[in-house]
Amino acid sequence: MIAYMAQSWVSIKRINKFLNSEEIDPNNVTTHPSEYALSISNGTFTWGGEHVTLKNINLKVKKGNLTAVVGSVGSGKTSLISALLGEMEKLNGEVNIDGRAAYVPQQAWIQNATLMDNILFGKAFDKQLYNQVIDACALRADLAMLPGGDQTEIGEKGINLSGGQKQRVALARAVYSESDIYLFDDPLSAVDSHVGKHIFDNVIGETGMLKGKTKLLVTHAVVYLPKVDEIYVVINGEITESGSYK
Ligand code: TTP
Ligand code: MG
């Protein structure tokens, strides 16, 4: 029972990460004040066993910047985020996070609770912020279609949402958390391009709600790359290039 509880706690922590500095394993990630919200110096990481997944990683994300991470399937983009969260075994190097981080995983995760509680996630209800988040995350039309609006029970025991709806709820939860740092793992993969553009313009991009916050965006959508401050290219577990779109 205890083992099971520990297991499920770990998976909830993994999936719904809103990190305070106390929650980070200091052996993997330091939380010193820095001009960079996120940094990895000479990092080498493994998921266990012989295989080294990430090699010679150097990454620095200035506070307030929007940084994209691109690379093909299996290249190590999700692993890179996991390394920043202290979830990979670090064989070498240093990782530092300065600020509270919210993580939107590649597989959006929904609690068995109302749609509203899935967004508040224990934080007090702030009507203005909540409504702003609903609109920015393009959830207004979904609320109108659900039988009980935002009081509708969703998750395994309630109404099953589409992949795109789940992604938007997970995004809304992160935005509502008002963190300093946002780690987005391909958050627009399940929404159509029109909705994706709405979310980019209203949440992630320079005109969005997260203006001034630090954002790391794993994406396959090249259309947004001209609008980010810096791009990192990951190939086979290594950063092969970084710089602006130009
Ligand atoms: P990922 O980091 O998952 O690669 P990716 O995120 O770039 O791929 P995608 O575009 O499909 O999202 O995988 C890199 C390697 O790390 C791969 O060999 C699988 C392994 N891995 C694990 O062993 N455990 C994990 O939890 C993850 C995320 C990856
Ligand atoms: Mg991935």
Side-chain angles (χ1 to χ4, degrees), residues 76-176:
K77 305 179 296 297
T78 298
S79 300
L80 187 65
I81 290 182
S82 303
L84 286 165
L85 296 171
E87 288 176 350
M88 289 187 81
E89 189 182 329
K90 191 177 73 180
L91 301 174
N92 194 28
E94 280 162 34
V95 181
N96 193 66
I97 292 196
D98 182 13
R100 185 169 177 267
Y103 167 41
V104 179
Q106 199 164 6
Q107 292 296 325
W109 186 85
I110 299 296
Q111 278 188 307
N112 288 313
T114 64
L115 187 141
M116 179 189 264
D117 285 340
N118 264 283
I119 294 171
L120 303 188
F121 204 61
K123 198 176 168 214
F125 178 64
D126 173 334
K127 190 174 178 186
Q128 198 192 340
L129 174 64
Y130 179 77
N131 278 316
Q132 207 185 348
V133 168
I134 293 287
D135 288 325
C137 296
L139 280 164
R140 190 65 69 189
D142 304 278
L143 293 194
M145 274 187 295
L146 288 168
D150 62 9
Q151 297 307 305
T152 306
E153 294 282 334
I154 57 174
E156 278 158 25
K157 292 180 185 154
I159 287 196
N160 211 352
L161 301 184
S162 72
Q165 286 174 319
K166 282 184 194 165
Q167 242 181 7
R168 280 176 283 127
V169 170
L171 187 73
R173 181 189 299 143
V175 178
Y176 191 83

Side-chain angles (χ1 to χ4, degrees), residues 190-210:
V191 301
D192 69 39
S193 61
H194 174 75
V195 174
K197 183 178 187 309
H198 175 97
I199 291 172
F200 190 86
D201 291 345
N202 289 278
V203 179
I204 301 167
E206 64 179 359
T207 53
M209 273 188 81
L210 300 181

Side-chain angles (χ1 to χ4, degrees), residues 7-237:
Q7 183 78 41
S8 62
W9 182 81
V10 167
S11 69
I12 288 170
K13 179 166 168 264
R14 249 190 80 80
I15 296 169
N16 268 302
K17 205 129 194 172
F18 297 113
L19 273 183
N20 297 307
S21 51
E22 314 86 67
E23 292 167 32
I24 301 176
D25 180 348
N27 294 316
N28 284 340
V29 182
T30 56
T31 55
H32 305 313
S34 167
E35 68 179 291
Y36 301 105
L38 301 166
S39 68
I40 303 179
S41 311
N42 300 318
T44 300
F45 306 88
T46 176
W47 284 109
E50 300 281 281
H51 186 70
V52 173
T53 305
L54 296 174
K55 286 154 283 201
N56 310 321
I57 300 295
N58 287 291
L59 170 134
K60 284 188 182 341
V61 179
K62 276 217 177 97
K63 285 186 178 160
N65 266 13
L66 168 56
T67 300
V69 175
V70 298
S72 58
V73 168
S75 58
K77 305 179 296 297
T78 298
S79 300
L80 187 65
I81 290 182
S82 303
L84 286 165
L85 296 171
E87 288 176 350
M88 289 187 81
E89 189 182 329
K90 191 177 73 180
L91 301 174
N92 194 28
E94 280 162 34
V95 181
N96 193 66
I97 292 196
D98 182 13
R100 185 169 177 267
Y103 167 41
V104 179
Q106 199 164 6
Q107 292 296 325
W109 186 85
I110 299 296
Q111 278 188 307
N112 288 313
T114 64
L115 187 141
M116 179 189 264
D117 285 340
N118 264 283
I119 294 171
L120 303 188
F121 204 61
K123 198 176 168 214
F125 178 64
D126 173 334
K127 190 174 178 186
Q128 198 192 340
L129 174 64
Y130 179 77
N131 278 316
Q132 207 185 348
V133 168
I134 293 287
D135 288 325
C137 296
L139 280 164
R140 190 65 69 189
D142 304 278
L143 293 194
M145 274 187 295
L146 288 168
D150 62 9
Q151 297 307 305
T152 306
E153 294 282 334
I154 57 174
E156 278 158 25
K157 292 180 185 154
I159 287 196
N160 211 352
L161 301 184
S162 72
Q165 286 174 319
K166 282 184 194 165
Q167 242 181 7
R168 280 176 283 127
V169 170
L171 187 73
R173 181 189 299 143
V175 178
Y176 191 83
S177 77
E178 295 190 298
S179 299
D180 309 309
I181 302 166
Y182 289 81
L183 303 167
F184 293 124
D185 198 345
D186 216 358
L188 308 178
S189 63
V191 301
D192 69 39
S193 61
H194 174 75
V195 174
K197 183 178 187 309
H198 175 97
I199 291 172
F200 190 86
D201 291 345
N202 289 278
V203 179
I204 301 167
E206 64 179 359
T207 53
M209 273 188 81
L210 300 181
K211 185 176 164 49
K213 310 272 187 159
T214 307
K215 290 142 300 200
L216 187 78
L217 172 70
V218 170
T219 185
H220 287 103
V222 290
V223 45
Y224 302 118
L225 296 184
K227 299 181 183 172
V228 310
D229 297 307
E230 201 169 14
I231 304 167
Y232 283 83
V233 181
V234 183
I235 298 179
N236 198 13

